[in-house]
Amino acid sequence: MTSQSLPEGMIRAVSQSGPYEGYMPGFANDFETEALPGALPQGQNSPQKCAYGLYAEQLSGSAFTKPHPERTWCYRIRPSVKHTTRFEKIDVPLWKSAPHVLPDVISLGQYRWDPVPHAAEDLTWITGMRTVTTAGDVNTQAGMASHIYLVTKSMEDEYFYSADGELLVVPQEGRLRFCTELGIIDVEPKEIALLPRGLVYRVEVLDGPARGFVCENYGVPFTLPHRGPIGANCMANPRDFKTPVAAFEDRDAPSSVVLKWCGQFHRTQIGHSPLDVVAWHGNYAPWKYDLRTYSPVGAILFDHPDPSIFTVLTAPSGLEGTANIDFVLFRERWLVAENSFRPPWYHKNVMSELMGNIYGIYDAKPKGFVPGGMSLHNCMLPHGPDRNAFEGASNAALKPEKLDETMSFMFETRFPQHLTEWAAKAAPLQDDYIDCWESLDKKFDGTPGVK
């Protein structure tokens, strides 16, 4: 991204040698960046007077007393108290929050959906959000919601932020630009982006229509999983996460800011752009990550490992080893296990699993689970390969095989996921999905030997 590609009126950090590339590498680093030289104070956070007449303001993403707290110091044209006035409630009918348990919707079952078709109407990031499931309780900051976004129109003089949680964005079609208080992120399929709780931003369509998936995390922020015996390398490496350099707008125009708070939506009217952070330093910031840099680890002799070995990010809960949410990636990889059933095995799980297909064919479901589609296997409901996958893997010649041109993911949570009315009645649900196991044969006949 070059400085010429920025939105009109937006100024980004520059160095003596010219524009930065736009991003700084690292995960949860303590970054510092300035869009104007000398805007960032040195040696202290809140000087009596800031350069350029800026205001110093702290954005805290965690309690002050948390070990290694998440916070960023911002040096901005106006303090955030100038970016809100009186609020009015607004209706965003298809964006739901937990708890959202409906008496006439059955969430118990194995579900799968075709891709949600693009709409003919203009849809922004806010109006195009479609909630599929909710889990936990947004008021106690535990659990999550999963969404599909359908975006055809850029936000114009409209901005958004959520007090309810961070948003993990997984594009499937189209390209989006997130113009945030702390810099600009462009994201496309095979990449993900993270928008922290409380961060103000505007979403623009670079290549549309755009469709993708969102995990709204009500709880502790996503972090990298503990690698344990795997060691210091592979999986998601910290250097591959990219945080934007500072960029700001100094623009007066009638504007609106939409706030999501405790599952409700409110709008406030202001007279300027709130994206006015000229410099910042800290570890609480948005980022993007290229899923093609994820280095999977797997079985190199026999058996299929637990899917947790493919975890990209985890949001811990209060129960050790049991995540509020795991983000898991199933991408291209080699299968080499000997004398083994190589696809994911049949399973009942205390965790609830919502999967989405970014592109390609998923090995446990070669038919029906198509790019843009998704599936839900709730807590303690059995699932696994269909007959074609089972028979194919049971009788295949076990030579080294590369799973190529495939990328699916999973939002996995410790909480049961409840369907919204939209997911149960309006989204393209595959009513015959449960039948994919109907043709599995009984092979047991009481005689010894492999059948």
Side-chain angles (χ1 to χ4, degrees):
M1 185 173 65
T2 67
S3 58
Q4 285 73 29
S5 69
L6 293 176
E8 184 179 354
M10 203 158 201
I11 300 174
R12 193 182 57 206
V14 294
S15 66
Q16 291 180 346
S17 59
Y20 289 156
E21 290 301 316
Y23 300 99
M24 302 173 286
F27 187 87
N29 290 15
D30 209 280
F31 297 103
E32 63 174 42
T33 174
E34 57 186 15
L36 295 177
L40 193 69
Q42 299 296 318
Q44 66 177 124
N45 296 321
S46 186
Q48 185 178 24
K49 289 187 177 182
C50 295
Y52 296 98
L54 300 174
Y55 290 84
E57 177 178 289
Q58 184 173 214
L59 173 62
S60 294
S62 67
F64 299 136
T65 52
K66 177 189 174 184
H68 309 294
E70 289 97 15
R71 60 88 183 94
T72 286
W73 276 93
C74 304
Y75 303 91
R76 58 192 320 152
I77 296 171
R78 298 176 180 89
S80 288
V81 291
K82 294 287 288 183
H83 300 330
T84 59
T85 55
R86 291 173 176 82
F87 288 98
E88 60 173 346
K89 278 191 177 182
I90 62 172
D91 188 26
V92 182
L94 296 180
W95 191 335
K96 303 296 184 182
S97 297
H100 185 72
V101 183
L102 303 176
D104 60 340
V105 170
I106 299 176
S107 298
L108 184 66
Q110 298 96 336
Y111 295 100
R112 189 166 68 191
W113 293 264
D114 287 324
V116 179
H118 292 288
E121 60 189 302
D122 287 342
L123 295 174
T124 67
W125 178 253
I126 299 171
T127 60
M129 200 68 70
R130 307 285 185 263
T131 304
V132 181
T133 66
T134 66
D137 190 337
V138 69
N139 297 288
T140 60
Q141 299 186 352
M144 59 160 281
S146 63
H147 314 280
I148 292 283
Y149 68 80
L150 304 169
V151 182
T152 62
K153 185 178 186 293
S154 296
M155 298 167 68
E156 297 177 3
D157 296 322
E158 184 182 46
Y159 305 86
F160 175 78
Y161 75 99
S162 174
D164 287 348
E166 62 184 4
L167 300 183
L168 179 66
V169 182
V170 185
Q172 194 270 322
E173 283 187 352
R175 297 170 56 237
L176 295 177
R177 168 169 288 172
F178 295 94
C179 299
T180 83
E181 293 180 282
L182 302 184
I184 301 167
I185 290 179
D186 291 348
V187 66
E188 62 186 26
K190 305 179 189 178
E191 296 179 326
I192 58 175
L194 191 286
L195 302 164
R197 186 194 309 260
L199 182 77
V200 179
Y201 59 91
R202 180 183 68 239
V203 183
E204 299 176 353
V205 179
L206 297 180
D207 181 16
R211 179 176 62 201
F213 310 89
V214 172
C215 180
E216 184 176 4
N217 174 20
Y218 304 146
V220 175
F222 279 110
T223 188
L224 297 178
H226 296 301
R227 298 173 186 267
I230 293 173
N233 301 294
C234 293
M235 302 174 73
N237 290 305
R239 65 175 296 198
D240 295 319
F241 290 82
K242 309 297 184 184
T243 294
V245 297
F248 72 94
E249 294 177 341
D250 183 10
R251 186 168 58 86
D252 293 333
S255 304
S256 65
V257 179
V258 176
L259 165 62
K260 183 175 186 286
W261 185 85
C262 293
Q264 300 177 336
F265 291 83
H266 303 75
R267 177 180 283 124
T268 185
Q269 304 291 340
I270 58 177
H272 52 267
S273 169
L275 308 183
D276 62 358
V277 176
V278 178
W280 62 269
H281 74 86
N283 61 0
Y284 191 65
W287 50 254
K288 64 182 285 187
Y289 173 74
D290 190 333
L291 295 172
R292 290 162 291 193
T293 66
Y294 183 81
S295 177
V297 177
I300 56 175
L301 189 57
F302 62 88
D303 281 352
H304 189 290
D306 292 338
S308 52
I309 203 169
F310 300 131
T311 300
V312 182
L313 298 162
T314 186
S317 74
L319 184 62
E320 180 70 24
T322 305
N324 182 50
I325 312 166
D326 282 330
F327 175 66
V328 182
L329 181 69
F330 307 100
R331 64 155 303 182
E332 295 89 348
R333 60 196 182 277
W334 280 93
L335 303 179
V336 298
E338 300 174 347
N339 192 33
S340 300
F341 184 76
R342 288 177 174 177
W345 15 255
Y346 295 100
H347 192 204
K348 285 201 300 185
N349 188 2
V350 69
M351 307 288 277
S352 298
E353 305 171 351
L354 186 135
M355 288 191 61
N357 188 340
I358 300 172
Y359 69 87
I361 296 174
Y362 180 61
D363 57 333
K365 298 287 193 306
K367 293 184 178 180
F369 186 49
V370 298
M374 55 189 171
S375 67
L376 174 66
H377 301 129
N378 242 319
C379 171
M380 284 303 171
L381 287 175
H383 52 279
D386 58 25
R387 177 174 178 167
N388 289 339
F390 177 81
E391 295 294 341
S394 297
N395 297 291
L398 293 181
K399 60 182 184 298
E401 177 190 4
K402 186 178 183 182
L403 287 180
D404 212 357
E405 294 300 314
T406 180
M407 185 175 286
S408 298
F409 69 89
M410 181 164 64
F411 299 149
E412 183 180 68
T413 177
R414 61 178 294 199
F415 298 100
Q417 298 193 46
H418 295 275
L419 294 182
T420 62
E421 185 174 22
W422 177 85
K425 300 179 180 180
L429 187 65
Q430 297 179 8
D431 292 330
D432 61 348
Y433 174 48
I434 189 69
D435 300 330
C436 76
W437 298 290
E438 181 68 25
S439 61
L440 285 168
D441 296 325
K442 174 188 172 184
K443 301 180 181 295
F444 176 80
D445 61 8
T447 61
V450 176
K451 306 299 179 184

